[in-house]
Amino acid sequence: MTNINNLEDEKKYNKWIVVLSILIPIAVAVLFNVKLKDFGFNVEPLTFLPPIYAGINALTAVLLVLAFLAIKNKNIVLHKKLMSTAIGCSVIFLLMYVAYHMTSDSTKFGGEGVIRTVYFVILITHIALSIVVIPFVLITYVRAITNSIERHKKIARITFPLWLYVAVTGVIVYLMISPYYI
């Protein structure tokens, strides 16, 4: 059972959760369309980043699965470390993703027919769920650090598959578009 102090502790974070859940997608959308060269910066395109941030997505997926297995085996300390690392990886991914798009033009998918439809279904669900998962991750994390464990478990059952889907589809999107990078 969650006690009142845990709920009060959670409430302290709610404004930050709302702000970050709105600000992160807006900032990414805006920065995605900002090119540093348009502001006079002589920056080489960071074309080496996509395989790196795809790798970070893959690592995040592995960390999530390992964290799930750790908690199933009641290894709370390992679970916490793995989850903190997964959050760190997601932040690093996001920074690299934005840096790439601020220095490089977007790559167009060149596939045709059914594979094109498959690609866009995966891409659109990936993008939509990458926005949706932000508050889930933040709420899940706050419930863990405020020791609202029962409430943490309830939302983690939703957060885990969403976040795992976003991490895995990020890799799939990269693999599908990588032949079309210039």
Side-chain angles (χ1 to χ4, degrees), residues 31-48:
L31 293 173
F32 187 88
N33 293 302
V34 169
K35 299 294 182 232
L36 291 177
K37 65 183 176 186
D38 295 341
F39 293 93
F41 292 98
N42 188 16
V43 179
E44 289 295 316
L46 301 176
T47 55
F48 63 91

Side-chain angles (χ1 to χ4, degrees), residues 13-26 138:
Y13 293 98
N14 285 347
K15 287 180 187 171
W16 283 109
I17 291 170
V18 170
V19 168
L20 290 172
S21 296
I22 294 168
L23 191 59
I24 291 170
I26 290 172
L138 295 173

